[in-house]
Amino acid sequence: MQKSLQLSLLSISIIGSLVLCQCRSKKHVGQIEKLANIKSKITEIIGQTPNLPYSAEGIIEIRVPEKPDNNRINIFSIKKYLPLETTKDFIIGEISRLKIVNSKIYILDLKTNSVIIFSDNGKFLKRIHDVGPGPNEYIDLSAMQVSKENNFIALYDPQRKKFIYYDLEGNFLSVKQGSIWVRDFAMFETGEFCYYLEKQYGNVSDVLVTDKNLIPRKKGIAGIPPNQSLNYHGGRGSFEDYQDKKLLMSSFRDTVYELTPSSIRAKYALKYTGHPLPQNYADGGINVFLKKAAAEPFNFSLGDILENEDFVIFMISMGGNSDWRDLIYSKKSGATHWGTIQDKKTTLQFGSPVINNTDSSLIIELFPEAALILYKEYQDKKITLPKELIDVCKNLKKYDNPILCFLEYKPF
């Protein structure tokens, strides 16, 4: 029954996204027959793509130290401070997702249901805020992707199950209406899509990879046991990009998966020394996990991830949302750093950075209030701050928009 419902929903969504709106008159009988053939093909493809078998080949195991420490990871330093222009019309609520394409900065702000576009020198260019009940508007946003190859911004409205497309200048292009509720989505350079499907459409949360025409190619994640859900961490952690691949982690488990248009495979496995996750989590559900987490001093679980050509950063929770550490694994030497990331030039501490896929640079956000507190503290102690930060702080107000900080580092 559930499988039948899932197939029907997938078929309806993709059919609706293609040409359903064009098939309302008797003149389109041929098109309707063509859609029926597509529906048959979808059913056939999904039926032939069960969860892929797990293979240990090529999986990199990374050990997490048993006891957390207060070490500062000092391999990063801020090389450039970029204040985002503050206008009288709006203040950024949060940087939920950040992309830099063609020298423009695109920021998804889930708190204000907006996309804000800045130039590469931080000047405000445009704000997309088409909230409303109209056919070209959205009620809510949950995800954004910016495609340089396809020359568009794609936004997803989960309440109305539709995609809204804009050009790279922020001008409206089109809408695609679907019937499947997806948690998040991403695009490959080749035009294929991958979708994070929520649990309500089957026994597990799942991933669906489609071609350019939204026809399914792959379904499921390698190594995920039955009834084991995938993880979702808001704007940054669900689909993390690296060299036209997507990284995705599994929920309350230790494995990171890599998705390409043609394959889904386990890539990294974290080993939590002395702190295994509850063995009966998959059977007992979330309540069992929470009870065990409360009874033990530390229960590690994986949060956001980031990968570039030199290292992988794993943001790890140790039993509570307020207690996080970063584990940085060198892809060249196999060495690790475990602690809190800190700027070498100042005492600024920050969480996992965001990667800019255009040039693999690493970016963190600095809130003006934190910058001003540091500025005053250093002035009081007569300690010299980097000139670049001093120049920023001289014209900074407490409630200005965030500052983007571009990082440099030495591979270890």
Side-chain angles (χ1 to χ4, degrees):
M1 178 69 177
Q2 288 181 337
K3 183 175 181 181
S4 175
L5 174 61
Q6 186 178 12
L7 293 176
S8 298
L9 287 168
L10 282 165
S11 303
I12 292 169
S13 174
I14 297 169
I15 290 168
S17 299
L18 291 173
V19 292
L20 184 61
C21 61
Q22 301 175 5
C23 299
R24 297 181 182 273
S25 71
K26 295 180 180 178
K27 296 179 181 180
H28 298 98
V29 174
Q31 287 180 314
I32 294 174
E33 291 177 350
K34 186 176 180 180
L35 288 177
N37 292 332
I38 292 175
K39 178 178 178 181
S40 175
K41 185 176 180 181
I42 292 170
T43 304
E44 179 183 352
I45 290 174
I46 293 179
Q48 293 175 356
T49 53
N51 284 358
L52 303 176
Y54 177 81
S55 172
E57 183 179 356
I59 298 177
I60 300 172
E61 294 187 350
I62 304 169
R63 190 166 297 281
V64 181
E66 181 174 354
K67 294 183 179 180
D69 54 42
N70 295 315
N71 290 341
R72 301 290 179 247
I73 302 175
N74 293 315
I75 64 173
F76 298 100
S77 58
I78 298 173
K79 66 178 180 179
K80 177 183 176 182
Y81 294 88
L82 181 63
L84 298 175
E85 181 183 8
T86 303
T87 74
K88 62 180 181 179
D89 299 319
F90 76 97
I91 296 292
I92 295 174
E94 67 175 25
I95 299 179
S96 310
R97 184 163 288 175
L98 184 151
K99 299 287 182 181
I100 301 180
V101 174
N102 291 350
S103 300
K104 290 187 177 66
I105 301 167
Y106 300 86
I107 292 174
L108 172 65
D109 179 357
L110 293 180
K111 282 192 175 179
T112 65
N113 265 328
S114 304
V115 173
I116 306 100
I117 306 173
F118 295 90
S119 68
D120 58 358
N121 63 5
K123 181 175 177 57
F124 169 75
L125 297 178
K126 187 162 186 175
R127 182 190 185 203
I128 299 173
H129 186 67
D130 296 333
V131 177
N136 298 335
E137 296 176 320
Y138 54 81
I139 301 298
D140 195 13
L141 292 179
S142 66
M144 173 193 78
Q145 295 294 340
V146 184
S147 175
K148 176 181 178 181
E149 296 73 26
N150 297 294
N151 200 40
F152 62 62
I153 307 165
L155 306 179
Y156 180 68
D157 179 353
Q159 290 200 36
R160 300 175 73 178
K161 304 182 182 70
K162 70 178 184 179
F163 293 88
I164 308 98
Y165 294 86
Y166 298 82
D167 66 22
L168 295 183
E169 305 300 319
N171 302 307
F172 173 80
L173 292 175
S174 62
V175 172
K176 285 186 179 180
Q177 181 64 56
S179 296
I180 294 180
W181 191 93
V182 299
R183 187 67 156 163
D184 198 0
F185 76 101
M187 295 181 293
F188 297 103
E189 289 182 3
T190 49
E192 287 90 343
F193 285 74
C194 52
Y195 302 92
Y196 176 98
L197 304 180
E198 192 54 283
K199 244 182 166 181
Q200 57 186 313
Y201 293 112
N203 291 328
V204 296
S205 297
D206 223 335
V207 167
L208 178 68
V209 179
T210 73
D211 64 15
K212 296 178 183 179
N213 297 317
L214 306 181
I215 302 298
R217 294 183 51 161
K218 293 286 182 182
K219 175 177 173 287
I221 290 291
I224 297 287
N227 301 317
Q228 175 64 49
S229 66
L230 302 179
N231 211 352
Y232 180 80
H233 284 275
R236 293 181 180 173
S238 187
F239 289 109
E240 184 63 53
D241 297 309
Y242 174 63
Q243 293 183 348
D244 202 25
K245 299 180 177 71
K246 314 298 172 187
L247 298 181
L248 182 73
M249 53 259 171
S250 58
S251 180
F252 300 117
R253 300 188 66 84
D254 60 358
T255 308
V256 174
Y257 298 89
E258 180 181 80
L259 285 73
T260 71
S262 59
S263 66
I264 303 173
R265 70 180 185 94
K267 188 172 186 180
Y268 300 106
L270 297 181
K271 298 300 179 183
Y272 301 111
T273 308
H275 295 285
L277 293 171
Q279 294 296 315
N280 57 346
Y281 164 68
D283 297 328
I286 186 67
N287 291 332
V288 171
F289 174 81
L290 293 177
K291 288 178 182 178
K292 284 188 172 288
E296 298 178 12
F298 294 105
N299 254 295
F300 294 175
S301 63
L302 179 60
D304 284 350
I305 49 177
L306 179 149
E307 180 178 17
N308 69 5
E309 67 273 11
D310 292 317
F311 51 71
V312 189
I313 299 178
F314 304 90
M315 192 174 184
I316 298 173
S317 167
M318 299 180 300
N321 291 331
S322 61
D323 199 0
W324 293 88
R325 296 289 188 281
D326 283 292
L327 178 69
I328 305 179
Y329 168 78
S330 170
K331 295 167 67 174
K332 297 178 180 178
S333 68
T336 59
H337 283 292
W338 169 237
T340 304
I341 297 176
Q342 179 173 287
D343 176 27
K344 288 172 65 175
K345 299 177 183 177
T346 68
T347 57
L348 280 172
Q349 298 175 23
F350 44 86
S352 302
V354 177
I355 190 168
N356 170 28
N357 294 304
T358 303
D359 60 6
S360 292
S361 60
L362 301 177
I363 306 169
I364 63 163
E365 60 187 284
L366 174 61
F367 292 99
E369 185 173 6
L372 290 171
I373 290 172
L374 182 71
Y375 180 56
K376 184 178 185 308
E377 178 185 329
Y378 271 51
Q379 279 187 321
D380 293 342
K381 295 180 180 179
K382 297 182 179 180
I383 302 174
T384 303
L385 276 171
K387 181 180 182 302
E388 298 83 1
L389 182 55
I390 292 174
D391 292 342
V392 167
C393 289
K394 284 180 178 178
N395 302 309
L396 199 61
K397 296 182 177 61
K398 182 177 179 180
Y399 295 108
D400 279 351
N401 279 324
I403 304 159
L404 298 185
C405 302
F406 292 77
L407 306 181
E408 60 183 358
Y409 60 90
K410 291 184 177 180
F412 58 96

